[in-house]
Amino acid sequence: MSTGPLQLRGRVLKLDRVGDYQHLTLVAPGVAERTRPGAFVALAVGGDHSATLLRRAFSIYRAKASGVYGGTVEIVFAVHGPGTAWLADRRPHDEIDVIGPLGRPFALPKEPVPCVLVGGGYGSAPLFGLADRLRERGCSVHMVLGAASESRLFGTVQAKRSAQSVVVTTEDGSVGTPGRATDVLPDLLARTNAAVVYACGPMGMLSAIAALAEQHGVWSQCAVEEQMACGVGVCMTCVLPVRGDDGVVRMVRSCVEGPVFRGDRVLWADAGTIPAGTLGAPRVGGHA
Amino acid sequence: MSTGPLQLRGRVLKLDRVGDYQHLTLVAPGVAERTRPGAFVALAVGGDHSATLLRRAFSIYRAKASGVYGGTVEIVFAVHGPGTAWLADRRPHDEIDVIGPLGRPFALPKEPVPCVLVGGGYGSAPLFGLADRLRERGCSVHMVLGAASESRLFGTVQAKRSAQSVVVTTEDGSVGTPGRATDVLPDLLARTNAAVVYACGPMGMLSAIAALAEQHGVWSQCAVEEQMACGVGVCMTCVLPVRGDDGVVRMVRSCVEGPVFRGDRVLWADAGTIPAGTLGAPRVGGHA
Amino acid sequence: MTVTSQPAAVVDSSSDVGAASGPVVDLAIELAGVRLPTPVMTASGCAAAGRELAPFLDVAAIGAVVTKSVRLDPRSGRATPRMVETPSGMLNSIGLQGPGIDAFLATDLPWLVSHGARAVVSIAGGSLGEYAELGRRVGSSPGVAAVEVNISCPNVENRGLVFACDPFQAARAVSAARRGIPRDVPVLAKLSPDVTDLVSIADSVMEAGATGLTLINTTLGLAIDHDTMRPVLAGTTGGLSGPAIRPLAVRCVWQVHQAMPDVPIVGVGGVRTGRDAFEFLLAGATAVQVGTVVFHDPSAPHRVANELQVALAARGLRSPAEAVGLAHQPRPRPEGTDD
Amino acid sequence: MTVTSQPAAVVDSSSDVGAASGPVVDLAIELAGVRLPTPVMTASGCAAAGRELAPFLDVAAIGAVVTKSVRLDPRSGRATPRMVETPSGMLNSIGLQGPGIDAFLATDLPWLVSHGARAVVSIAGGSLGEYAELGRRVGSSPGVAAVEVNISCPNVENRGLVFACDPFQAARAVSAARRGIPRDVPVLAKLSPDVTDLVSIADSVMEAGATGLTLINTTLGLAIDHDTMRPVLAGTTGGLSGPAIRPLAVRCVWQVHQAMPDVPIVGVGGVRTGRDAFEFLLAGATAVQVGTVVFHDPSAPHRVANELQVALAARGLRSPAEAVGLAHQPRPRPEGTDD
Ligand SMILES: Cc1cc2nc3c(=O)[nH]c(=O)nc-3n(C[C@H](O)[C@H](O)[C@H](O)COP(=O)(O)OP(=O)(O)OC[C@H]3O[C@@H](n4cnc5c(N)ncnc54)[C@H](O)[C@@H]3O)c2cc1C
Ligand SMILES: Cc1cc2nc3c(=O)[nH]c(=O)nc-3n(C[C@H](O)[C@H](O)[C@H](O)COP(=O)(O)OP(=O)(O)OC[C@H]3O[C@@H](n4cnc5c(N)ncnc54)[C@H](O)[C@@H]3O)c2cc1C
Ligand SMILES: Cc1cc2nc3c(=O)[nH]c(=O)nc-3n(C[C@H](O)[C@H](O)[C@H](O)COP(=O)(O)O)c2cc1C
Ligand SMILES: Cc1cc2nc3c(=O)[nH]c(=O)nc-3n(C[C@H](O)[C@H](O)[C@H](O)COP(=O)(O)O)c2cc1C
Ligand code: FES
Ligand code: FES
């Protein structure tokens, strides 16, 4: 009943600038109730006569089941192209067609184990809700927030409330430890005795984290960001090579079977290709 | 030097609702100085990634050469399709790409003669500036404003300041004389001893006015509204059969050779066709 | 996944007001002998096998679900990127990723049947043998409302030339598939617009045993990434779809209906609103499919049907059938001529 | 009408920042032996004979002005409506309205020459005799930078079939026109995308004496008015243009450049920004034309060149020529493979 995505006309409640990002709060009754950390929304952009037809996907940062205005969902985004530029130009009361929540959320540990959460740039957005859930289950939570520079970090203050420990890294050293999130990870995994690492950020970061997790014998849960045309599983654009329980590699849709994957199941180095041996791997190609 | 159209990024100063219409004031320095009554502006709609590429044409209602914000131009429009809906959604400070002033304005009489000005719906917009110019030359000005209903009239109050006499007609009789503008025209032409009738409104009205003017031996100046793709004379979409000084009928561009035409020169009944005898009239057609 | 959804996205029926006062419109149609509750279906490759749309519409209530073209064997499809957004459209190069016909018949088809949907099964082959085998397998499966034969595939036996681009090869593919499909199951041949003479292709696939035509598949396009300075798509070229190509699709329907007014046509290409669907009917289509716009609005096949109902009522038409091909009737005289 | 205009409309060069630090880009190119100050020209039928654009750009500073296709005799063109706006594009059916070649040569050409513009004269005939006669007249006129032969016209001697749709007829039209044009004046054959095999047409017009190709003319489309329920255009069908068809145009340039890398190509179809122009160069075009977008922004041929300059500089390219066909080079390995 309270599963499955909704499609509805959301209404802009607030739009604030946070560093290099926009923080958008949408009134979207019903979505919050169904949201679990790691899920995303797909927003239509550009209005009724839009030349940009494809929906844009955004991790859900926060979801509140009720409130003065009815349930809300919040996202954090960077202006990148026409779709995000349009979103950044919305005003309170404007309508946005929302579909959500979508995708498979982060899997939660059954035991109260130590967890490390790593967010790259706006990739930290879905980690705060996750941290809450983990703490509810008695897990200890340690966070790493990494970005190219200070203005590209999101949620450092909030992280201090959400986690037992927080490490911030920036590549330009403008704040925190200079370097990448993955530089500080081995130490942290060892120090916290982590059982699971959760990660959301660019593919390169996820790939490195999945490898480190394996080296340390730690489970990893990685939220990927593949290009998506529909977000709901009907177009087959968002695929990625993933090894199944049966050992077979398949091109799987990251919108419905992800965006969160077990890090050890994704063939990171082969993303963007059809690795040899994949189910139904290429022969002479047909255009469609 | 101060002739020819400008292209510039105008800025919205005000947007107000007036009856069924929107009244838009744009800061567009330089345009006012060049504007003569009957000229129009062509506005780009839909923003940088617009799916609606063609400009929308609007008669210039008022143009002020200077002011606190620099020169302004004003238009009055009805929301009709996506372009006008987008315009109606603008806010102060928004930018709109403007080209103007465009087109041939109303020709003014050399002598101080009585003039009748007829506006259908928003077609009254360009007549107020015209009235001012005519009065400056000592002409007496009489106005007829006609529309389907009261909310589709524009400028009735202002007309009283602009003209010696004003007749208002509505088809549903909601205000003024029930009927059409053309119903009251013969009487008015006779009573005022008019030398010229100026008209702006739908084709049917213009056609009727041109015929009445001829019957009364009065000059007519009609501002037409043909579908325009460019507004600047390069696309050839806005043509209309017009008889030239040499007696030859040509398909002429209403954006550069109009929108104002001598009523007796337009082949009103043949608009939408290529009348036999037109220069280069149809043979087997080539697609282009 | 059976939550009912709120009303959605694009509505464009400004001049359709006053519809309430129009006649009651029954949206049901008959397409090549099959009764459909509405003339609006999904388009192949834009609805997977229907299941993922269940949260957004009732699959039993829309015209039909046209499934993603299925090949004989499982296929991984092409490498990514598989799509690029383009002005009012998109390019795709999916490469017919799918489970193969056996898995499709074992899983996807029964799901559609058990949920009360009319399943139009799209098949695609790389050789005449494959079309024949696919026709046999699908033809012997219960619950198939119609078969759509996607012939926009390279023919491995003919230098990889696309079947749909040659009247002779197109006919052979359709005829191969047709053989195994029972008489009472309609076969729609889906054509490509990328040909000099569409009518000749239409003619030859009808001769080869098609019951009707689906017009059109995507048109071939290409986009280049400004940063990598290489084609965006891993497959280099891709199929262009969406509202951008609607005028092209409407023209194809028009031309074929003009030449063969009795052939049932399913119009597809850029349908976004009920008025777009109406435009296809006027051009000569009996039904329409919604493809790319489903990505924009997954409730579209349902919404478009509702909007079409309003558009028909506003013009005094009582059924979709009454609109079919109307635009081919002589034009009323231009305004302004009064004799 | 010589007022300079303010900067205009669409700019889309977000990722082109930092261009200031790139190399100095000289936009001049050589197209089939003719030197042009920039690779960005107007497109035929979208700039009349250049004069109307003078308030919005300097006709002497843009690549070239391609004039509206001129027929032998004056033509009234088609009845109105002559255009419909479509998603990210438009349909037109102007019917080659124009003054005829004599008036053109007497008035329009001298205006362009005296204003320092490079005049590319587009000619269109309804028969081989007309092409030959047009070639002779234009060929003997001084000041013609190049001739563009528009062969997307119905051939009255061949059941009204469009020249551009048949390799043989296309070649005959080009060869007829070519005969009267001096060797040193390049002849660009402008092709239609509405064919099954564009490369074969390209091949045959090059054989027939064309110096280069203009790709593409509009693609055939149709729109129906929802209210009258009849085709919107008085001419029924029309040519689809604008950004909607850009992926199609880029694909055509790509295919022809791939097959015939030495043939100079002028790319046209949906160019809106400098990045779009860049995309055409990467696909294999030496120059580009801006058509429909001029209606949106009459300063576009000037603006697009400036934006192209920024795009080239940002990628370390020193001239448009360095970009031509780059996208055909092998792709760098996909990210994520590190061996
Ligand atoms: C599951 C998921 C979660 C995401 N969460 C966030 C988030 O929380 N904050 C945020 O800023 N961004 C997020 N993104 C990326 C976001 O979707 C893109 O930045 C956005 O689509 C760009 O749209 P545009 O029109 O601005 O750019 P354009 O580049 O013009 O977009 C063109 C097309 O490419 C697609 N696209 C472009 N960039 C990306 C990308 N990085 N990932 C996927 N598709 C892309 C768009 O959807 C669109 O179809 C997420 C993406 C996915 C798949
Ligand atoms: C010289 C001139 C002066 C005008 N002055 C005014 C004015 O003062 N106030 C006003 O409200 N309207 C005026 N119009 C009409 C105005 O241009 C159209 O209402 C407007 O273009 C509709 O755009 P849309 O996107 O809302 O509608 P759509 O119907 O979606 O427009 C689609 C296309 O058709 C064209 N078009 C549609 N309707 C008209 C029309 N009536 N005339 C010309 N082209 C049209 C549009 O430009 C566009 O290219 C004038 C038109 C012309 C030619
Ligand atoms: C992502 C995608 C995948 C498609 N896959 C198929 C397919 O498998 N078989 C097929 O016949 N058509 C396929 N098509 C074409 C559509 O069915 C349709 O003919 C075309 O997209 C035009 O319609 P539209 O503009 O509504 O999308 C696909 C289109 C898209 C966008
Ligand atoms: C209104 C209009 C008129 C055109 N007239 C001609 C013409 O006379 N001769 C010609 O070769 N092409 C003509 N074209 C086609 C354009 O030159 C160009 O090839 C096509 O529009 C694609 O480019 P675009 O998308 O930039 O407009 C015309 C196009 C439009 C929109
Ligand atoms: S985005 Fe369409 S299937 Fe995943
Ligand atoms: S609107 Fe383009 S020539 Fe008049």
Side-chain angles (χ1 to χ4, degrees):
Chain A
M1 233 214 44
S2 68
T3 56
L6 292 177
Q7 178 180 11
L8 50 84
R9 286 261 180 183
R11 213 169 261 287
V12 175
L13 188 62
K14 267 201 310 195
L15 182 65
D16 304 311
R17 212 188 160 95
V18 182
D20 283 354
Y21 301 115
Q22 304 283 333
H23 171 196
L24 174 67
T25 305
L26 280 174
V27 178
V31 177
E33 289 81 339
R34 295 152 206 259
T35 298
R36 288 190 286 153
F40 67 96
V41 289
L43 307 183
V45 296
D48 282 355
H49 299 274
S50 178
T52 47
L53 287 173
L54 306 178
R55 284 184 181 258
R56 271 52 175 171
F58 301 95
S59 302
I60 296 173
Y61 159 48
R62 272 200 299 233
K64 294 188 186 147
S66 63
V68 193
Y69 306 96
T72 55
V73 279
E74 297 169 48
I75 64 168
V76 175
F77 66 94
V79 171
H80 180 249
T84 46
W86 183 85
L87 284 174
D89 203 31
R90 297 305 91 199
R91 300 161 269 173
H93 306 298
D94 281 356
E95 283 188 342
I96 299 178
D97 191 287
V98 183
I99 297 179
L102 291 165
R104 288 211 185 141
F106 290 112
L108 303 177
K110 298 209 170 55
E111 310 290 316
V113 294
C115 299
V116 169
L117 280 54
V118 190
Y122 58 72
S124 58
L127 301 183
F128 303 104
L130 173 65
D132 294 346
R133 289 286 180 102
L134 290 171
R135 281 187 292 117
E136 283 164 26
R137 301 184 164 225
C139 299
S140 64
V141 172
H142 306 274
M143 275 187 144
V144 184
L145 304 186
S149 65
E150 182 169 11
S151 62
R152 301 238 128 211
L153 286 165
F154 178 77
T156 44
V157 173
Q158 194 182 348
K160 292 187 182 126
R161 288 197 301 270
S162 299
Q164 264 91 333
S165 79
V166 180
V167 185
V168 168
T169 65
T170 55
E171 286 176 50
D172 67 356
S174 48
V175 66
T177 312
R180 297 173 169 216
T182 44
D183 298 342
V184 302
L185 196 58
D187 227 52
L188 188 66
L189 290 179
R191 183 158 56 79
T192 58
N193 203 15
V196 193
V197 54
Y198 293 92
C200 182
M203 289 297 264
M205 184 189 106
L206 300 180
S207 168
I209 289 174
L212 283 172
E214 250 181 308
Q215 282 163 30
H216 288 76
V218 169
W219 292 107
S220 65
Q221 288 272 309
C222 299
V224 304
E225 202 184 288
E226 274 292 334
Q227 223 197 4
M228 295 181 178
C230 74
V232 302
V234 293
C235 75
M236 313 298 281
T237 60
C238 60
V239 298
L240 177 101
V242 175
R243 194 178 303 281
D245 290 331
D246 54 4
V248 176
V249 176
R250 293 182 180 79
M251 298 306 290
V252 312
R253 291 166 298 177
S254 60
C255 65
V256 286
E257 306 190 45
V260 179
F261 290 101
R262 266 175 58 175
D264 57 334
R265 288 294 177 80
V266 176
L267 280 68
W268 298 102
D270 297 321
T273 72
I274 309 287
T278 301
L279 183 71
R283 297 169 300 172
V284 206
H287 154 70
Chain B
M1 234 214 48
S2 69
T3 56
L6 292 178
Q7 178 180 12
L8 50 83
R9 287 259 179 183
R11 214 168 261 287
V12 175
L13 188 62
K14 267 200 311 193
L15 182 65
D16 303 312
R17 216 191 157 95
V18 182
D20 284 353
Y21 302 115
Q22 305 283 333
H23 171 195
L24 173 67
T25 306
L26 281 174
V27 179
V31 177
E33 289 81 338
R34 295 152 205 261
T35 297
R36 287 191 286 155
F40 66 97
V41 288
L43 307 182
V45 296
D48 281 356
H49 299 274
S50 178
T52 46
L53 287 172
L54 306 178
R55 284 183 181 258
R56 271 51 177 172
F58 301 94
S59 301
I60 296 173
Y61 160 49
R62 270 199 300 234
K64 294 188 186 148
S66 63
V68 194
Y69 307 95
T72 55
V73 280
E74 298 168 48
I75 64 168
V76 175
F77 66 94
V79 172
H80 179 249
T84 47
W86 182 85
L87 284 173
D89 203 32
R90 296 305 90 200
R91 300 161 268 171
H93 305 299
D94 281 355
E95 282 188 344
I96 299 177
D97 192 286
V98 182
I99 296 179
L102 291 165
R104 288 211 185 144
F106 290 111
L108 303 177
K110 297 205 171 59
E111 309 291 316
V113 294
C115 299
V116 170
L117 280 53
V118 189
Y122 59 72
S124 58
L127 301 182
F128 303 104
L130 174 65
D132 294 345
R133 290 285 182 102
L134 291 171
R135 281 185 295 118
E136 282 164 26
R137 302 188 161 222
C139 299
S140 63
V141 173
H142 306 274
M143 276 187 141
V144 184
L145 304 186
S149 65
E150 182 168 10
S151 62
R152 301 237 127 212
L153 286 165
F154 177 77
T156 45
V157 173
Q158 194 181 346
K160 291 185 185 130
R161 289 196 301 271
S162 299
Q164 265 92 330
S165 79
V166 181
V167 184
V168 168
T169 64
T170 54
E171 286 177 49
D172 67 358
S174 49
V175 67
T177 312
R180 299 175 168 215
T182 43
D183 298 342
V184 302
L185 196 57
D187 227 50
L188 188 64
L189 290 179
R191 183 158 54 81
T192 58
N193 203 13
V196 193
V197 52
Y198 293 91
C200 183
M203 289 297 263
M205 183 188 106
L206 299 181
S207 169
I209 289 173
L212 283 173
E214 251 180 308
Q215 281 163 30
H216 288 75
V218 170
W219 291 107
S220 65
Q221 287 272 309
C222 299
V224 305
E225 202 184 290
E226 274 293 332
Q227 223 197 6
M228 295 181 179
C230 75
V232 302
V234 294
C235 75
M236 313 298 282
T237 60
C238 60
V239 298
L240 183 95
V242 174
R243 194 178 303 281
D245 289 331
D246 54 5
V248 176
V249 176
R250 293 182 180 79
M251 299 305 292
V252 311
R253 292 165 298 176
S254 59
C255 64
V256 286
E257 305 190 45
V260 179
F261 290 101
R262 266 176 57 176
D264 59 333
R265 289 294 176 84
V266 176
L267 281 67
W268 298 101
D270 297 321
T273 71
I274 308 287
T278 301
L279 183 70
R283 297 169 301 171
V284 205
H287 152 70
Chain C
M1 299 277 276
T2 45
V3 177
T4 42
S5 70
Q6 317 278 117
V10 200
V11 186
D12 178 22
S13 44
S14 42
S15 79
D16 299 343
V17 283
S21 58
V24 179
V25 176
D26 177 3
L27 281 181
I29 61 155
E30 204 182 273
L31 173 69
V34 178
R35 203 184 139 82
L36 307 178
T38 90
V40 187
M41 339 177 171
T42 63
S44 180
C46 302
R51 196 193 294 241
E52 289 82 356
L53 293 184
F56 309 108
L57 47 73
D58 176 359
V59 291
I62 63 172
V65 173
V66 184
T67 59
K68 169 94 190 150
S69 296
V70 65
R71 300 280 304 235
L72 206 50
D73 299 320
R75 287 175 56 110
S76 67
R78 292 245 174 66
T80 55
R82 291 178 168 188
M83 69 102 172
V84 204
E85 192 172 53
T86 67
S88 296
M90 67 179 283
L91 287 170
N92 88 82
S93 163
I94 307 294
L96 294 181
Q97 175 168 350
I101 191 69
D102 292 338
F104 174 84
L105 294 176
T107 315
D108 294 328
L109 183 59
W111 186 90
L112 283 169
V113 173
S114 72
H115 284 75
R118 283 139 305 280
V120 176
V121 178
S122 171
I123 57 173
S127 65
L128 296 176
E130 276 183 41
Y131 278 108
E133 182 61 23
L134 284 161
R136 257 194 302 280
R137 305 261 191 114
V138 174
S140 56
S141 303
V144 174
V147 178
E148 191 174 88
V149 187
N150 173 3
I151 54 172
S152 295
C153 305
N155 181 352
V156 295
E157 291 160 352
N158 185 20
R159 295 169 296 139
L161 290 183
V162 171
F163 286 98
C165 288
D166 176 70
F168 180 64
Q169 295 298 335
R172 296 227 293 171
V174 170
S175 135
R178 169 84 267 188
R179 241 167 281 138
I181 298 167
R183 286 236 144 267
D184 62 332
V185 176
V187 171
L188 300 166
K190 185 167 180 184
L191 305 187
S192 160
D194 295 338
V195 295
T196 310
D197 182 2
L198 184 63
V199 170
S200 73
I201 312 258
D203 204 61
S204 81
V205 296
M206 289 307 296
E207 281 291 314
T211 329
L213 302 170
T214 301
L215 304 174
I216 56 174
N217 214 315
T218 55
T219 176
L220 199 65
L222 187 143
I224 298 172
D225 187 298
H226 303 107
D227 293 317
T228 66
M229 301 193 279
R230 295 296 179 282
V232 181
L233 298 173
T236 307
T237 56
L240 182 63
S241 64
I245 66 162
R246 192 173 64 237
L248 178 58
V250 172
R251 182 264 294 176
C252 290
V253 170
W254 171 277
Q255 284 179 328
V256 173
H257 182 76
Q258 176 115 319
M260 322 161 66
D262 298 329
V263 171
I265 297 174
V266 181
V268 49
V271 173
R272 186 168 186 166
T273 68
R275 305 174 107 206
D276 301 336
F278 184 50
E279 189 177 5
F280 273 97
L281 300 189
L282 293 170
T286 299
V288 300
Q289 299 176 352
V290 184
T292 304
V293 164
V294 165
F295 307 158
H296 179 77
D297 174 14
S299 74
H302 168 75
R303 172 182 54 76
V304 167
N306 287 349
E307 291 169 3
L308 175 63
Q309 192 166 33
V310 174
L312 290 167
R315 286 155 192 88
L317 300 166
R318 278 159 309 180
S319 72
E322 286 189 7
V324 176
L326 266 191
H328 292 262
Q329 295 186 357
R331 220 180 264 274
R333 280 152 185 288
E335 284 173 58
T337 53
D338 50 5
D339 55 342
Chain D
M1 296 281 274
T2 46
V3 178
T4 42
S5 69
Q6 316 280 115
V10 201
V11 186
D12 178 23
S13 44
S14 42
S15 79
D16 300 342
V17 282
S21 58
V24 179
V25 176
D26 177 3
L27 281 181
I29 61 156
E30 203 183 274
L31 173 70
V34 179
R35 204 185 138 81
L36 307 179
T38 91
V40 186
M41 339 176 172
T42 63
S44 180
C46 302
R51 196 193 296 239
E52 289 82 355
L53 293 184
F56 309 108
L57 48 72
D58 177 359
V59 292
I62 63 172
V65 173
V66 184
T67 58
K68 169 92 191 151
S69 296
V70 64
R71 300 280 304 234
L72 207 49
D73 298 320
R75 287 174 55 110
S76 67
R78 291 244 174 66
T80 55
R82 291 177 168 188
M83 68 104 172
V84 204
E85 191 173 52
T86 67
S88 297
M90 66 179 283
L91 286 170
N92 87 80
S93 164
I94 308 295
L96 295 181
Q97 174 168 351
I101 190 69
D102 291 336
F104 173 85
L105 294 176
T107 314
D108 295 328
L109 183 59
W111 187 90
L112 283 169
V113 173
S114 72
H115 283 76
R118 282 139 305 280
V120 175
V121 178
S122 171
I123 56 173
S127 66
L128 296 176
E130 274 182 44
Y131 279 108
E133 183 60 22
L134 284 161
R136 254 193 304 279
R137 305 259 192 118
V138 174
S140 57
S141 302
V144 174
V147 178
E148 191 175 87
V149 186
N150 174 3
I151 54 172
S152 296
C153 304
N155 181 351
V156 295
E157 291 160 352
N158 185 19
R159 294 169 294 138
L161 291 182
V162 171
F163 286 98
C165 288
D166 176 70
F168 180 65
Q169 294 298 336
R172 297 226 293 170
V174 170
S175 138
R178 168 86 266 186
R179 238 168 284 137
I181 299 167
R183 286 236 142 269
D184 63 332
V185 176
V187 172
L188 301 166
K190 184 166 180 185
L191 305 187
S192 160
D194 294 338
V195 295
T196 310
D197 182 1
L198 183 63
V199 170
S200 73
I201 312 260
D203 204 62
S204 83
V205 296
M206 289 307 297
E207 281 292 315
T211 329
L213 302 170
T214 301
L215 304 174
I216 55 176
N217 214 315
T218 55
T219 176
L220 199 65
L222 187 144
I224 298 171
D225 186 298
H226 303 108
D227 293 317
T228 66
M229 302 193 280
R230 295 296 179 281
V232 180
L233 298 173
T236 307
T237 56
L240 182 63
S241 63
I245 66 162
R246 192 173 65 236
L248 177 59
V250 172
R251 183 263 296 176
C252 290
V253 170
W254 171 278
Q255 284 180 327
V256 173
H257 183 75
Q258 176 113 321
M260 323 163 66
D262 297 328
V263 170
I265 297 174
V266 181
V268 48
V271 172
R272 186 166 186 167
T273 68
R275 304 174 108 205
D276 301 336
F278 185 50
E279 188 177 5
F280 274 97
L281 300 189
L282 293 170
T286 299
V288 300
Q289 297 176 353
V290 183
T292 304
V293 165
V294 165
F295 306 159
H296 179 76
D297 174 14
S299 74
H302 168 75
R303 173 181 54 77
V304 166
N306 287 348
E307 292 169 2
L308 175 64
Q309 192 166 33
V310 174
L312 290 168
R315 286 154 193 89
L317 300 167
R318 277 157 310 178
S319 72
E322 286 190 7
V324 177
L326 266 192
H328 292 263
Q329 294 187 359
R331 222 179 263 272
R333 283 156 181 285
E335 282 173 58
T337 54
D338 50 3
D339 55 340

